[in-house]
Amino acid sequence: MRRDIFQAIADPTRRAIIALIAVQAMTPNAIAEHFDSTRQAVSKHLKILTECELIKQEHQGREIYYQLEIEKMKEIDKWLEQFRQIWESRFQQLDQLLATIQKK
Amino acid sequence: MRRDIFQAIADPTRRAIIALIAVQAMTPNAIAEHFDSTRQAVSKHLKILTECELIKQEHQGREIYYQLEIEKMKEIDKWLEQFRQIWESRFQQLDQLLATIQKK
DNA sequence: TGTATGTGCAACTGGTTGGTTTCTCAAAAT
DNA sequence: ATTTTGAGAAACCAACCAGTTGCACATACA
């Protein structure tokens, strides 16, 4: 059972859930109302997201509020870092090229 | 057949391939040498990556060099943008809190 | 021309995944 | 005390996925 962030955000429904609870913590029922699938299906997604620590629970009576662990999202950002260096250097190269053209 | 960037980067082998050819364009055989799986398996990954335009081919005789489409990687960065706003505002809140404590 | 090499494609396979339905359990409400 | 409500867990299923082996085809080389 592979369970990492990249696999977690691969599913569009899960990405939608993440975006939803990023705004404010919500219960499974409230989340499920935004989708066509059943609450149980949403619950499964929440379980996966919880397992890779992208979200956390907050019990309040019999209700459970799910909240985004924004810190964990930074791990994706961290992975992107290596490529950001490339696209920034490409941009710099283009910049230098444009400067050279202007000089002529 | 769902084929988007997020599903493409969900697989660890594909992420490794991306990181590999980010440095320099490579042929399928050369890429496959870096992994335990067969060339055909790598070829399948390359097909998926090509389909969602994360990489592009460059034919050279009978060899095919695969190259990263760095621009496409920015789409992940773009999706992260909405969360970056959140974690930056959280940081700002913490900053203000620390400033308030110091004043006391 | 015949052979070796680089590559993609098709068929098959076991494991995973996303979904459903059914069940259980605890907390609220009546 | 009984019923309603919110939620997770288990069993099941169709679809998908990552890998394999085998094959086809083009290019390079002898």
Side-chain angles (χ1 to χ4, degrees):
Chain A
M1 203 194 316
R2 175 164 48 88
R3 201 120 290 176
D4 60 275
I5 339 170
F6 294 99
Q7 191 258 340
I9 63 162
D11 185 82
T13 307
R14 279 198 290 269
R15 283 202 302 279
I17 291 174
I18 290 172
L20 206 62
I21 64 172
V23 181
Q24 70 175 133
M26 291 176 91
T27 65
N29 262 322
I31 296 165
E33 277 174 19
H34 290 78
F35 302 96
D36 290 330
S37 55
T38 60
R39 178 190 57 80
Q40 281 87 341
V42 170
S43 204
K44 264 191 165 184
H45 285 305
L46 290 171
K47 196 188 172 191
I48 290 167
L49 292 170
T50 306
E51 272 169 12
C52 63
E53 297 175 299
L54 263 170
I55 63 174
K56 65 179 172 194
Q57 302 180 340
E58 199 175 294
H59 293 259
Q60 200 165 307
R62 68 178 157 183
E63 292 182 327
I64 300 175
Y65 284 85
Y66 283 89
Q67 193 177 349
L68 185 63
E69 278 275 30
I70 196 79
E71 278 298 315
K72 197 75 179 181
M73 295 293 290
K74 287 190 187 176
E75 280 189 25
I76 304 160
D77 198 58
K78 211 170 149 188
W79 179 72
L80 272 183
E81 197 56 43
Q82 59 186 314
F83 305 106
R84 198 169 291 120
Q85 282 171 11
I86 294 169
W87 77 57
E88 273 169 10
S89 75
R90 291 255 171 101
F91 181 74
Q92 209 176 353
Q93 279 168 24
L94 182 69
D95 223 45
Q96 286 177 345
L97 180 70
L98 289 172
T100 313
I101 290 166
Q102 280 190 326
K103 274 186 186 171
K104 280 183 183 171
Chain B
M1 203 195 314
R2 176 162 49 87
R3 201 121 291 177
D4 59 275
I5 338 170
F6 295 98
Q7 192 259 339
I9 63 163
D11 186 84
T13 306
R14 279 198 291 270
R15 284 202 302 281
I17 290 174
I18 290 173
L20 205 63
I21 65 172
V23 182
Q24 70 175 135
M26 290 176 92
T27 64
N29 262 323
I31 297 166
E33 278 174 19
H34 290 79
F35 302 96
D36 289 332
S37 55
T38 60
R39 179 193 56 79
Q40 281 89 338
V42 170
S43 206
K44 265 191 166 183
H45 285 305
L46 291 171
K47 197 189 173 191
I48 290 168
L49 292 170
T50 306
E51 270 168 13
C52 64
E53 296 175 300
L54 263 169
I55 61 173
K56 66 179 174 195
Q57 302 180 339
E58 200 176 294
H59 293 259
Q60 201 165 305
R62 69 180 158 182
E63 291 183 328
I64 301 175
Y65 282 86
Y66 283 90
Q67 191 178 350
L68 185 62
E69 277 275 31
I70 195 80
E71 278 299 314
K72 198 74 179 182
M73 294 293 288
K74 287 190 188 177
E75 280 189 26
I76 303 159
D77 198 57
K78 211 171 150 188
W79 179 74
L80 271 183
E81 197 55 44
Q82 58 187 313
F83 305 105
R84 198 169 291 122
Q85 281 172 15
I86 295 170
W87 76 56
E88 273 168 9
S89 75
R90 294 255 171 100
F91 181 74
Q92 208 176 353
Q93 278 168 27
L94 182 68
D95 223 45
Q96 285 176 348
L97 180 71
L98 288 173
T100 313
I101 289 167
Q102 279 190 325
K103 275 185 186 173
K104 281 182 181 173

PDB file of all heavy atoms in Angstrom, chain B residues 70-81:
ATOM      1  N   ILE B  70       9.764  21.671 -19.560  1.00  0.00           N
ATOM      2  CA  ILE B  70       9.784  22.365 -18.266  1.00  0.00           C
ATOM      3  C   ILE B  70       8.564  23.267 -18.057  1.00  0.00           C
ATOM      4  O   ILE B  70       8.066  23.405 -16.933  1.00  0.00           O
ATOM      5  CB  ILE B  70      11.110  23.139 -18.082  1.00  0.00           C
ATOM      6  CG1 ILE B  70      11.315  23.566 -16.624  1.00  0.00           C
ATOM      7  CG2 ILE B  70      11.205  24.318 -19.026  1.00  0.00           C
ATOM      8  CD1 ILE B  70      11.832  22.477 -15.745  1.00  0.00           C
ATOM      9  N   GLU B  71       8.051  23.812 -19.140  1.00  0.00           N
ATOM     10  CA  GLU B  71       6.882  24.703 -19.057  1.00  0.00           C
ATOM     11  C   GLU B  71       5.677  24.009 -18.423  1.00  0.00           C
ATOM     12  O   GLU B  71       4.940  24.607 -17.656  1.00  0.00           O
ATOM     13  CB  GLU B  71       6.500  25.225 -20.444  1.00  0.00           C
ATOM     14  CG  GLU B  71       7.321  26.412 -20.913  1.00  0.00           C
ATOM     15  CD  GLU B  71       7.187  27.641 -20.011  1.00  0.00           C
ATOM     16  OE1 GLU B  71       6.055  27.985 -19.650  1.00  0.00           O
ATOM     17  OE2 GLU B  71       8.221  28.234 -19.665  1.00  0.00           O
ATOM     18  N   LYS B  72       5.528  22.714 -18.794  1.00  0.00           N
ATOM     19  CA  LYS B  72       4.374  21.948 -18.287  1.00  0.00           C
ATOM     20  C   LYS B  72       4.456  21.740 -16.777  1.00  0.00           C
ATOM     21  O   LYS B  72       3.446  21.635 -16.096  1.00  0.00           O
ATOM     22  CB  LYS B  72       4.307  20.603 -19.007  1.00  0.00           C
ATOM     23  CG  LYS B  72       2.969  19.908 -18.916  1.00  0.00           C
ATOM     24  CD  LYS B  72       1.925  20.546 -19.793  1.00  0.00           C
ATOM     25  CE  LYS B  72       0.594  19.824 -19.711  1.00  0.00           C
ATOM     26  NZ  LYS B  72      -0.425  20.421 -20.595  1.00  0.00           N
ATOM     27  N   MET B  73       5.685  21.694 -16.285  1.00  0.00           N
ATOM     28  CA  MET B  73       5.891  21.494 -14.849  1.00  0.00           C
ATOM     29  C   MET B  73       5.324  22.671 -14.059  1.00  0.00           C
ATOM     30  O   MET B  73       4.934  22.533 -12.901  1.00  0.00           O
ATOM     31  CB  MET B  73       7.385  21.356 -14.542  1.00  0.00           C
ATOM     32  CG  MET B  73       8.036  20.119 -15.110  1.00  0.00           C
ATOM     33  SD  MET B  73       7.436  18.593 -14.368  1.00  0.00           S
ATOM     34  CE  MET B  73       8.182  18.705 -12.750  1.00  0.00           C
ATOM     35  N   LYS B  74       5.270  23.802 -14.717  1.00  0.00           N
ATOM     36  CA  LYS B  74       4.758  24.995 -14.045  1.00  0.00           C
ATOM     37  C   LYS B  74       3.288  24.872 -13.672  1.00  0.00           C
ATOM     38  O   LYS B  74       2.814  25.585 -12.793  1.00  0.00           O
ATOM     39  CB  LYS B  74       4.956  26.229 -14.943  1.00  0.00           C
ATOM     40  CG  LYS B  74       6.391  26.692 -15.048  1.00  0.00           C
ATOM     41  CD  LYS B  74       6.478  28.043 -15.746  1.00  0.00           C
ATOM     42  CE  LYS B  74       7.916  28.429 -16.043  1.00  0.00           C
ATOM     43  NZ  LYS B  74       8.010  29.703 -16.774  1.00  0.00           N
ATOM     44  N   GLU B  75       2.588  23.957 -14.352  1.00  0.00           N
ATOM     45  CA  GLU B  75       1.166  23.777 -14.047  1.00  0.00           C
ATOM     46  C   GLU B  75       0.951  23.274 -12.620  1.00  0.00           C
ATOM     47  O   GLU B  75      -0.036  23.597 -11.969  1.00  0.00           O
ATOM     48  CB  GLU B  75       0.511  22.810 -15.049  1.00  0.00           C
ATOM     49  CG  GLU B  75       0.169  23.502 -16.353  1.00  0.00           C
ATOM     50  CD  GLU B  75      -0.670  22.660 -17.291  1.00  0.00           C
ATOM     51  OE1 GLU B  75      -1.397  21.770 -16.821  1.00  0.00           O
ATOM     52  OE2 GLU B  75      -0.586  22.897 -18.508  1.00  0.00           O
ATOM     53  N   ILE B  76       1.913  22.467 -12.163  1.00  0.00           N
ATOM     54  CA  ILE B  76       1.845  21.980 -10.779  1.00  0.00           C
ATOM     55  C   ILE B  76       2.061  23.163  -9.839  1.00  0.00           C
ATOM     56  O   ILE B  76       1.362  23.331  -8.849  1.00  0.00           O
ATOM     57  CB  ILE B  76       2.916  20.890 -10.527  1.00  0.00           C
ATOM     58  CG1 ILE B  76       2.741  19.745 -11.516  1.00  0.00           C
ATOM     59  CG2 ILE B  76       2.836  20.376  -9.096  1.00  0.00           C
ATOM     60  CD1 ILE B  76       3.973  18.895 -11.702  1.00  0.00           C
ATOM     61  N   ASP B  77       3.046  23.967 -10.215  1.00  0.00           N
ATOM     62  CA  ASP B  77       3.360  25.167  -9.443  1.00  0.00           C
ATOM     63  C   ASP B  77       2.139  26.100  -9.381  1.00  0.00           C
ATOM     64  O   ASP B  77       1.838  26.671  -8.330  1.00  0.00           O
ATOM     65  CB  ASP B  77       4.526  25.891 -10.118  1.00  0.00           C
ATOM     66  CG  ASP B  77       5.189  26.882  -9.186  1.00  0.00           C
ATOM     67  OD1 ASP B  77       5.633  26.462  -8.116  1.00  0.00           O
ATOM     68  OD2 ASP B  77       5.234  28.074  -9.531  1.00  0.00           O
ATOM     69  N   LYS B  78       1.449  26.173 -10.494  1.00  0.00           N
ATOM     70  CA  LYS B  78       0.257  27.024 -10.611  1.00  0.00           C
ATOM     71  C   LYS B  78      -0.842  26.535  -9.663  1.00  0.00           C
ATOM     72  O   LYS B  78      -1.505  27.336  -9.005  1.00  0.00           O
ATOM     73  CB  LYS B  78      -0.239  26.940 -12.061  1.00  0.00           C
ATOM     74  CG  LYS B  78      -0.914  28.188 -12.584  1.00  0.00           C
ATOM     75  CD  LYS B  78      -1.137  28.026 -14.084  1.00  0.00           C
ATOM     76  CE  LYS B  78      -2.356  28.764 -14.586  1.00  0.00           C
ATOM     77  NZ  LYS B  78      -2.656  28.439 -16.008  1.00  0.00           N
ATOM     78  N   TRP B  79      -1.006  25.213  -9.591  1.00  0.00           N
ATOM     79  CA  TRP B  79      -2.015  24.628  -8.703  1.00  0.00           C
ATOM     80  C   TRP B  79      -1.649  24.889  -7.246  1.00  0.00           C
ATOM     81  O   TRP B  79      -2.517  25.148  -6.408  1.00  0.00           O
ATOM     82  CB  TRP B  79      -2.145  23.119  -8.959  1.00  0.00           C
ATOM     83  CG  TRP B  79      -3.148  22.461  -8.072  1.00  0.00           C
ATOM     84  CD1 TRP B  79      -4.507  22.550  -8.161  1.00  0.00           C
ATOM     85  CD2 TRP B  79      -2.883  21.613  -6.939  1.00  0.00           C
ATOM     86  NE1 TRP B  79      -5.093  21.811  -7.161  1.00  0.00           N
ATOM     87  CE2 TRP B  79      -4.126  21.229  -6.406  1.00  0.00           C
ATOM     88  CE3 TRP B  79      -1.713  21.137  -6.344  1.00  0.00           C
ATOM     89  CZ2 TRP B  79      -4.236  20.399  -5.288  1.00  0.00           C
ATOM     90  CZ3 TRP B  79      -1.827  20.315  -5.238  1.00  0.00           C
ATOM     91  CH2 TRP B  79      -3.073  19.950  -4.730  1.00  0.00           C
ATOM     92  N   LEU B  80      -0.348  24.862  -6.960  1.00  0.00           N
ATOM     93  CA  LEU B  80       0.133  25.083  -5.589  1.00  0.00           C
ATOM     94  C   LEU B  80      -0.100  26.520  -5.145  1.00  0.00           C
ATOM     95  O   LEU B  80      -0.183  26.802  -3.952  1.00  0.00           O
ATOM     96  CB  LEU B  80       1.614  24.759  -5.484  1.00  0.00           C
ATOM     97  CG  LEU B  80       2.016  23.337  -5.147  1.00  0.00           C
ATOM     98  CD1 LEU B  80       3.518  23.256  -5.015  1.00  0.00           C
ATOM     99  CD2 LEU B  80       1.342  22.861  -3.861  1.00  0.00           C
ATOM    100  N   GLU B  81      -0.208  27.403  -6.122  1.00  0.00           N
ATOM    101  CA  GLU B  81      -0.340  28.840  -5.857  1.00  0.00           C
ATOM    102  C   GLU B  81      -1.413  29.168  -4.816  1.00  0.00           C
ATOM    103  O   GLU B  81      -1.186  29.936  -3.881  1.00  0.00           O
ATOM    104  CB  GLU B  81      -0.629  29.585  -7.171  1.00  0.00           C
ATOM    105  CG  GLU B  81      -0.388  31.070  -7.112  1.00  0.00           C
ATOM    106  CD  GLU B  81       1.024  31.424  -6.651  1.00  0.00           C
ATOM    107  OE1 GLU B  81       2.001  30.790  -7.120  1.00  0.00           O
ATOM    108  OE2 GLU B  81       1.143  32.324  -5.810  1.00  0.00           O
TER     109      GLU B  81
END
